[in-house]
Amino acid sequence: LDRWMEKLKQVVAVLGSQWGDEGKGKIVDILAQEYDVCARYNGGSNAGHSIVVNGTKFAFHLMPSGILNQKAQCLIGNGCVVHLPTLFTEITKLEEKGINCKGRLFLSDRAHIVLDLHQKVDGLQELDLGGGKLGTTGRGIGPTYAEKMNRSGIRASDLTNMEHFRKRVGAIAAIMNKRYPSLNADVEEQVKLYSEFARQLLEREMIVDGVEWINARHKEGKKILLEGANATMLDIDFGTYPFVTSSNPTVGGCFTGLGLAPSKLGDVVGVVKAYTTRVGEGPFPTELFDSVGTHLREVGVERGTTTGRPRRCGWFDAVILNYSHMINGYTALNLTKLDVLTGLDEIKIAVSYEYQGKTLHSIPASLDVLAQVKVNYETVPGWKEDISHSRSFSDLPPNCQRYVNRLEELLNVPIVWIGVGAAREATIEK
């Protein structure tokens, strides 16, 4: 993949372009082998990235995927919300596999902390919604971001003063207990648990001024990879609200979630699955309920890395991708899981939406409208040949090449990398 690697700028962002689960971790892992810094800028342990290296599977939730490059440094930025028990579980599992994290993994002092209490409240809020549930992961992400916006949250810097931390937890617990009497939040239990995590964070010298840290690395000329969690259609502003996450996975989140100036960003890589999936509730125009949907789910092993929930599957949606490109300005695309389409007689591509006889040129904010759109498809012939061992674009069957080329025409963005299997080496350059 050297040809395109050489063209990438000093700072590159990797973003999910659909509803998440596109396979961002794999391309981040590949690119991170050539980058000095890998930084997460949004989300929390609701994210799930799976990477297979030399037959070993790594599942990340909070950890930047670049941690597998032992020469790289990693930062969890201020735009993230961090559940420390999950983070230290990931650290332990990595170090058991010989991946050293000490002196390589840093946490912004402005990142907000997810307490176990937030996770319990997340579940209670879903119960309150009943039939109108959002389908959250239950990881406490929404309640923590809500506190952040309500200016009552806890940040990593608060862990350097445990007496102050105790007061902050007490204030949050009082509000939670009043709203949910059955919660019976135990302040001292949380303080005891997080005191130990605070000790480990300080011992490892993990808490840093994230803004100063990332800009210092940039000034030093370090190559920086920005890793997004979730995806455009789950963005709190631009996604299918309210069935979204609570942060900005789109390109703007790179700047607010790390403190980097927009002028420092060079390239934006969009990761797009060769079909479409989503987890949770909300409209999904190209969703399939037939044997093809079953094929995509079973062959693609479409279950959430974080929740284990089966994913909803559908045809590739060029309308969503063009909307995503308008927002993020992709300079290159990574097409993933192309091999999953092998065996289908024909493949459909959603090329436009209609509503009440009119063509829509964007994704409507109204979910009622989105749920009622008529989807117009192009149909292209499929292929039967196994492509999992292909290592160049010319190795792909003619119909497979035509499918990729047609997607590139519809999106007007170069498809640079193509995933034909789960392993790191099962990626070819177009």
Side-chain angles (χ1 to χ4, degrees):
L1 306 183
D2 292 342
R3 183 168 60 88
W4 263 92
M5 287 283 199
E6 292 173 359
K7 294 182 180 179
L8 292 174
K9 307 292 196 308
Q10 181 187 358
V11 181
V12 175
V14 177
L15 314 180
S17 62
Q18 296 156 304
W19 271 290
D21 307 310
E22 300 93 351
K24 295 179 290 296
K26 181 181 172 185
I27 190 65
V28 169
D29 171 57
I30 291 170
L31 295 177
Q33 304 309 306
E34 305 296 326
Y35 276 73
D36 306 301
V37 173
C38 182
R40 267 279 302 271
Y41 64 82
N42 80 295
S45 55
N46 58 336
H49 294 168
S50 296
I51 302 169
V52 179
V53 181
N54 298 326
T56 301
K57 183 177 180 178
F58 296 87
F60 297 141
H61 302 282
L62 273 166
M63 189 71 66
S65 302
I67 198 74
L68 295 179
N69 172 11
Q70 303 236 34
K71 296 179 181 178
Q73 292 182 308
C74 294
L75 175 70
I76 298 173
N78 60 274
C80 299
V81 291
V82 183
H83 185 240
L84 292 175
T86 299
L87 179 60
F88 277 99
T89 295
E90 290 191 46
I91 289 172
T92 299
K93 287 181 178 178
L94 280 168
E95 292 185 342
E96 286 174 351
K97 292 179 179 179
I99 306 296
N100 177 44
C101 297
K102 285 187 177 179
R104 298 182 49 227
L105 177 63
F106 302 94
L107 172 64
S108 169
D109 53 3
R110 292 174 171 85
H112 278 247
I113 301 299
V114 180
L115 301 175
D116 292 359
L117 298 179
H118 292 120
Q119 298 191 335
K120 293 176 182 177
V121 166
D122 205 352
L124 292 170
Q125 287 179 344
E126 281 285 88
L127 288 174
D128 275 357
L129 290 169
K133 66 178 182 177
L134 301 177
T136 76
T137 59
R139 296 301 193 270
I141 308 305
T144 307
Y145 275 117
E147 276 182 4
K148 175 179 180 176
M149 295 306 171
N150 202 35
R151 295 160 295 179
S152 59
I154 295 173
R155 304 201 292 183
S157 58
D158 295 323
L159 292 166
T160 61
N161 182 335
M162 291 313 295
E163 190 54 42
H164 175 66
F165 179 77
R166 177 181 277 102
K167 290 177 182 178
R168 301 292 308 121
V169 175
I172 289 170
I175 295 170
M176 289 181 173
N177 282 332
K178 186 174 181 180
R179 176 68 180 84
Y180 299 101
S182 64
L183 183 65
N184 194 25
D186 188 330
V187 174
E188 289 308 313
E189 179 184 58
Q190 292 288 284
V191 171
K192 181 180 179 181
L193 175 65
Y194 282 80
S195 292
E196 173 57 24
F197 290 130
R199 183 192 66 77
Q200 293 185 56
L201 287 169
L202 295 174
E203 184 179 281
R204 288 172 174 261
E205 299 182 335
M206 282 176 61
I207 299 177
V208 297
D209 179 336
V211 177
E212 189 278 332
W213 190 93
I214 194 85
N215 281 283
R217 302 293 84 75
H218 182 270
K219 189 174 182 179
E220 292 166 0
K222 301 293 187 184
K223 296 179 70 177
I224 302 172
L225 191 61
L226 312 182
E227 179 181 9
N230 316 121
T232 297
M233 296 307 295
L234 294 174
D235 187 277
I236 188 70
D237 289 298
F238 303 114
T240 47
Y241 185 91
F243 302 105
V244 292
T245 193
S246 300
S247 64
N248 292 110
T250 46
V251 71
C254 297
F255 315 123
T256 58
L258 290 167
L260 270 178
S263 58
K264 292 176 181 175
L265 179 61
D267 285 294
V268 182
V269 176
V271 185
V272 52
K273 199 175 282 186
Y275 47 100
T276 310
T277 63
R278 80 170 296 176
V279 170
E281 310 300 320
F284 183 175
T286 67
E287 186 169 11
L288 293 166
F289 301 96
D290 57 8
S291 60
V292 176
T294 301
H295 168 98
L296 297 176
R297 188 176 302 106
E298 292 181 353
V299 176
V301 194
E302 294 295 352
R303 289 188 173 273
T305 304
T306 298
T307 63
R309 289 182 293 181
R311 296 174 184 141
R312 300 157 63 189
C313 299
W315 295 119
F316 187 93
D317 193 331
V319 182
I320 281 174
L321 259 295
N322 280 308
Y323 172 76
S324 180
H325 178 40
M326 277 196 292
I327 294 166
N328 296 308
Y330 301 123
T331 55
L333 294 176
N334 169 213
L335 184 68
T336 66
K337 304 190 83 165
L338 184 62
D339 54 303
V340 175
L341 298 178
T342 298
L344 297 178
D345 293 326
E346 60 180 30
I347 299 167
K348 292 186 177 182
I349 306 168
V351 294
S352 65
Y353 294 166
E354 288 181 25
Y355 179 70
Q356 296 183 347
K358 295 182 179 179
T359 300
L360 302 182
H361 299 287
S362 184
I363 301 298
S366 168
L367 298 195
D368 289 338
V369 173
L370 186 60
Q372 296 177 57
V373 296
K374 175 190 173 187
V375 182
N376 296 317
Y377 290 100
E378 282 187 10
T379 302
V380 298
W383 60 89
K384 304 293 185 181
E385 301 92 331
D386 178 12
I387 65 170
S388 62
H389 299 291
S390 299
R391 292 298 177 265
S392 70
F393 189 68
S394 61
D395 290 341
L396 298 175
N399 283 348
C400 185
Q401 292 185 34
R402 292 187 190 103
Y403 179 68
V404 174
N405 288 333
R406 182 56 182 146
L407 296 186
E408 196 171 59
E409 289 171 2
L410 288 167
L411 305 178
N412 198 29
V413 185
I415 293 174
V416 174
W417 303 280
I418 302 169
V420 294
R424 178 190 283 172
E425 60 271 16
T427 301
I428 62 179
E429 190 174 82
K430 186 171 183 291

